Amino acid sequence: MDARHAILFEPVRIGPKTLPNRFYQVPHASGFGSAKPRTQAAFRAVKAEGGWGGVCVEYAPISQDSDEIPAIGADIWDDRDARALGVSAEAIHAHGALAGLELYHGGWSSPNGSSRAVRLAPSQLTSQLQWGGLAKEMDSADIARVQRDWVGAARRARDVGFDIVYVYGAHGYLMTQFLSAHANRRTDGYGGSLANRGRFWLETLAAVRDAVGGDCAIATRIAVHGDSGVPGAEGLPGIHIDDMLALVKMADDLVDLWDVTVGSWPEDSGTSRYYPEGHERPWAHRVKEVTAKPVVSVGRYSSPDLMAEVIRSGAVDLIGSARQAIADPFLPRKITEGRLDEIRECTGSNVCILREETFNHVGCVQNATAGEEYRRGWHPESFPAAADTGRSVLIVGAGPAGMECAVVLGKRGFTAVHLVEAEPEIGGRLRWARRLPTLGNWGRIIDWRAVQLARLPGVQVITGRRLAAADVLEYGADLVVIATGSAWRGDGVQPGYPDPMPGADPGLPHVLTPEQACAGKRPPGPRVVVYDTDGYYVAPGVAELLAAEGFEVTVITTFSVLSPVSDQTLEGDMLRAHLHRAGVSVSHATTITGIGAGSVTGHDRHGEPWSAACDAIVLVTQQVSQGTLYTELADGQALAAAGISGLYRIGDAVAPRMISEAIFDGHRLAREIDAEDPAQPSPYRRERADPA
Ligand code: ADP
């Protein structure tokens, strides 16, 4: 290990417990909750195995009036829930780490749609639409009962082995609702002055401490206002950092670990597009100045030098991480072993959050094994040796899918893998996407794989060679994997319109595909329409690129907001504000159906005819698989004559999808290439409730 990083491996005492080092996986959602105990346990345990000294499960609602369905939390309402979560504590302990549980109550933000319990809040107020009705103003019996529930949950957590229990106060949930002078309009002893507004929090901390403080470290999570000025979701107005620092001083004796979050969730989990690594550091430092207790804070840290520097500066005691710990559960081990170039750096694209929030199953663009530890038995660092490593494999196309497939085959011991790419560089669509404004860190997907590919003796990378079907048949490979990806359509085919759009011809000077724009084709005049029916990063990226060069850019989108997918990655509002500042105009809910010389035509949200004058259009409508090579080869006789015993297709060549899914596809095929029918994913283990 580099001596400069030794500070990261110092033990840290928190209350009655000692963390073995300064790497701390903060609580974060996974979609597994207490309903999938083995999936949860395997997902967390691999981080402990990789060297994280503290590993937490996600938020754990303490009672049925914090029912989060359809979101999945680690409910700890009763002993049966607790036993399910105890499986994680045990699995984390097996690798010498401490296990933490984030005991939680959402107050007015808990939908309670499944439990039908009334929502609870300090006051009957709301600042936004409350689907399903308003909350009940908590009376003294409610306050006492929630505190009893908190203590009961803490006891259960302790009894099943958790070392750290949280009194979760961040993100605008019940504790913050009490603390906020805007949300808390009470006139009793729980409202009014800061001391009164903080009373519910402090009393709960004291009660939990009395119950389990001898056995467990008591952590609390706070939100201080950041650049977004808002410490929580649900439209809760900001609590000024000075008020939060006053609370920290009041509660310091009751707390063993301060977990500091900053601003709204989109700021706290800020993406690499808009926040640099370590962006929360100044705010955490403010908390550190007023407490005698250890402080943890996140900041998408992936650089060991920066981590060590932040600790030395006194801003934090522990390096908190959610996303980097997902991208590389073995980051601490790699630092101790001096294998810094092996660290799979987080891209900061928040695909983990999109997957967890949208599909209730976390996943990672960089680490295809994330969330697959139990159900598929995948491990991020170990790759079962293949039965026959001597079979030669030709992979055509070095995009995300092809690169990942080659890496995993190489790690499985294959001795003759050829990854052949038509372009001079590997990377596929990321070659140009990483060069779009703000997307540079997405290039880490290529960079990590390039390092791996160069190290694997069994893998050869050949660039600048486009293979036709005859070339593949003559290549002499036993197995062939087609990973030729996708391209953006230039014919204007879009959702609801399966026929080409009149005038859509990227051979014309005024019609561009995103790839053409990125390769340097430029509109013949200043007024450019970027037409988006895709809804993610490509249209905003191309729009900003052209605006930066002085073009007058308008994004016309069929959606009611620009880039709705970016709302799932927490970037939507920032992206829209960013493009506004970059001078890009946006027109919503509008469909383009024809391109003429000097104008585009279509209809608006009401179906009325619409047109706009412009000098050029960039079509970001749909991708199409580049699948002809596969179909030309899929002739059993020709394959057999060429000695090819298996032909497979992965990634966008099968169907255009998110980059994370293309990587998953390549990874899965390489893991299962020994299966009876590798083209079909093997069944995976599912956790189901017993019918009894
Ligand atoms: P995916 O995400 O599925 O990996 P991409 O479209 O990002 O797909 O990447 C596909 C890659 O395949 C591109 O780099 C492209 O240049 C390459 N490719 C496509 N056809 C051929 C071919 N016939 N021979 C070699 N490389 C090819």
Side-chain angles (χ1 to χ4, degrees):
M1 175 170 56
D2 186 325
R4 292 173 306 152
H5 303 148
I7 193 170
L8 297 169
F9 294 90
E10 292 170 351
V12 177
R13 182 135 189 106
I14 48 169
K17 300 284 179 175
T18 300
L19 288 159
N21 59 40
R22 297 184 189 268
F23 293 96
Y24 187 85
Q25 184 246 280
V26 294
H28 72 82
S30 63
F32 308 146
S34 28
K36 293 183 180 170
R38 294 176 192 86
T39 310
Q40 175 79 266
F43 175 66
R44 304 295 175 182
V46 76
K47 293 161 183 47
E49 185 190 351
W52 297 83
V55 178
C56 299
V57 177
E58 64 246 47
Y59 69 124
I62 56 166
S63 52
Q64 61 165 286
D65 41 32
S66 186
D67 154 41
E68 307 301 318
I69 301 261
I72 309 281
D75 293 341
I76 182 160
W77 300 356
D78 58 26
D79 291 347
R80 192 174 166 187
D81 288 335
R83 283 196 297 278
L85 293 169
V87 179
S88 285
E90 197 180 322
I92 292 164
H93 288 161
H95 300 286
L98 298 186
L101 192 62
E102 186 180 56
L103 304 178
Y104 157 94
H105 197 296
W108 74 14
S109 71
S110 296
N112 293 352
S114 173
S115 70
R116 305 186 106 161
V118 68
R119 286 174 168 147
L120 298 178
S123 300
Q124 199 168 66
L125 287 174
T126 181
S127 54
Q128 64 173 41
L129 176 69
Q130 292 253 356
W131 197 86
L134 294 185
K136 176 189 179 194
E137 178 166 315
M138 290 169 76
D139 58 25
S140 52
D142 294 320
I143 289 176
R145 200 265 300 155
V146 169
Q147 289 176 333
R148 274 200 310 279
D149 286 348
W150 220 300
V151 168
R155 287 208 173 98
R156 285 193 286 276
R158 186 247 342 251
D159 292 347
V160 297
F162 284 95
D163 309 285
I164 305 162
V165 294
Y166 272 73
V167 176
Y168 186 170
H171 292 322
Y173 299 128
L174 188 57
M175 295 298 170
T176 319
Q177 290 159 26
F178 266 91
L179 194 64
S180 163
H182 299 268
N184 179 348
R185 313 297 292 192
R186 302 175 75 94
T187 52
D188 64 4
Y190 292 94
S193 67
L194 181 73
N196 277 3
R197 285 182 275 121
R199 184 183 309 276
F200 177 65
W201 199 330
L202 264 68
E203 281 181 0
T204 310
L205 277 167
V208 169
R209 191 171 192 83
D210 278 352
V212 304
D215 306 314
C216 297
I218 312 295
T220 200
R221 205 175 221 190
I222 59 172
V224 297
H225 78 264
D227 295 338
S228 46
V230 184
E234 306 301 320
L236 190 64
I239 294 171
H240 195 274
I241 186 161
D242 291 342
D243 282 352
M244 195 52 88
L245 296 180
L247 180 106
V248 170
K249 286 185 206 162
M250 282 189 271
D252 213 29
D253 288 344
L254 302 170
V255 171
D256 300 315
L257 175 64
W258 290 100
D259 183 336
V260 180
T261 66
V262 176
S264 61
W265 191 22
E267 179 175 356
D268 192 48
S269 292
T271 59
S272 58
R273 302 184 76 163
Y274 306 113
Y275 289 96
E277 202 174 324
H279 65 97
E280 307 202 342
R281 173 182 183 175
W283 304 95
H285 212 147
R286 296 282 307 275
V287 177
K288 184 78 180 115
E289 281 165 359
V290 300
T291 171
K293 305 295 176 61
V295 169
V296 60
S297 179
V298 296
R300 225 183 56 256
Y301 291 109
S302 56
S303 152
D305 284 357
L306 182 58
M307 293 178 202
E309 203 263 303
V310 173
I311 302 276
R312 270 195 209 95
S313 76
V316 294
D317 300 278
L318 305 174
I319 298 296
S321 175
R323 289 169 293 172
Q324 180 58 60
I326 299 172
D328 196 342
F330 274 61
L331 173 134
R333 284 263 289 266
K334 289 175 183 174
I335 298 174
T336 28
E337 293 165 11
R339 295 189 288 133
L340 303 189
D341 59 355
E342 299 261 329
I343 294 172
R344 207 165 30 239
E345 294 175 307
C346 173
T347 62
S349 58
N350 282 3
V351 166
C352 47
I353 292 172
L354 176 148
R355 285 203 51 86
E356 175 274 314
E357 289 284 300
T358 312
F359 305 115
N360 280 330
H361 195 108
V362 77
C364 176
V365 65
Q366 275 282 50
N367 172 14
T369 69
E372 307 295 345
E373 299 85 355
Y374 170 75
R375 67 178 186 179
R376 293 183 212 266
W378 292 358
H379 187 282
E381 302 294 318
S382 75
F383 299 85
D388 180 0
T389 53
R391 285 185 297 174
S392 57
V393 188
L394 168 65
I395 303 172
V396 187
M403 291 189 295
E404 180 72 4
C405 189
V407 167
V408 176
L409 289 175
K411 287 181 185 271
R412 293 196 62 200
F414 277 84
T415 54
V417 177
H418 282 202
L419 176 63
V420 180
E421 166 57 49
E423 298 292 328
E425 270 178 72
I426 63 169
R429 62 187 125 159
L430 277 164
R431 273 193 306 268
W432 52 268
R434 77 179 304 177
R435 296 189 171 99
L436 287 172
T438 72
L439 288 181
N441 272 355
W442 290 25
R444 291 174 165 190
I445 294 166
I446 305 179
D447 299 343
W448 183 80
R449 286 165 184 80
V451 170
Q452 300 300 311
L453 290 167
R455 291 246 163 95
L456 289 164
V459 183
Q460 206 177 320
V461 180
I462 297 135
T463 52
R465 184 155 179 220
R466 182 172 294 278
L467 296 182
D471 304 320
V472 174
L473 292 173
E474 282 165 18
Y475 206 92
D478 298 318
L479 303 174
V480 172
V481 178
I482 302 299
T484 46
S486 63
W488 285 90
R489 300 187 78 114
D491 60 5
V493 164
Q494 57 181 316
Y497 295 82
D499 295 318
M501 183 190 296
D505 174 1
L508 297 169
H510 62 280
V511 180
L512 288 79
T513 65
E515 287 102 335
Q516 287 177 331
C518 290
K521 180 175 174 183
R522 285 296 170 263
R527 296 164 308 167
V528 184
V529 162
V530 175
Y531 181 46
D532 183 28
T533 68
D534 167 64
Y536 194 18
Y537 65 93
V538 174
V542 173
E544 189 178 349
L545 179 77
L546 295 176
E549 293 178 14
F551 289 95
E552 293 165 33
V553 182
T554 304
V555 180
I556 306 290
T557 175
T558 46
F559 300 106
S560 52
V561 291
L562 175 64
S563 190
V565 178
S566 297
D567 286 322
Q568 307 307 315
T569 57
L570 310 180
E571 297 166 297
D573 289 341
M574 281 177 274
L575 177 138
R576 292 184 277 269
H578 180 80
L579 281 201
H580 175 71
R581 286 193 293 271
V584 173
S585 310
V586 182
S587 194
H588 303 111
T590 303
T591 304
I592 295 178
T593 52
I595 302 170
S599 70
V600 288
T601 53
H603 55 260
D604 68 11
R605 70 178 70 217
H606 308 297
E608 302 289 340
W610 170 95
S611 69
C614 65
D615 300 308
I617 181 168
V618 185
L619 289 166
V620 190
T621 56
Q622 252 175 248
Q623 291 156 276
V624 59
S625 293
Q626 300 296 289
T628 36
L629 184 59
Y630 179 85
T631 39
E632 283 166 18
L633 287 166
D635 164 356
Q637 277 183 353
L639 290 175
I644 297 171
S645 60
L647 172 71
Y648 309 108
R649 190 165 41 156
I650 54 174
D652 275 19
V654 182
R657 284 162 288 169
M658 289 180 64
I659 294 164
S660 57
E661 306 317 290
I663 290 181
F664 173 83
D665 226 16
H667 192 103
R668 186 211 62 80
L669 179 69
R671 289 248 183 198
E672 297 184 346
I673 206 150
D674 308 326
E676 201 173 319
D677 181 6
Q680 294 303 320
S682 301
Y684 55 83
R685 289 197 284 184
R686 289 185 292 158
E687 294 192 77
R688 281 175 275 213
D690 295 333

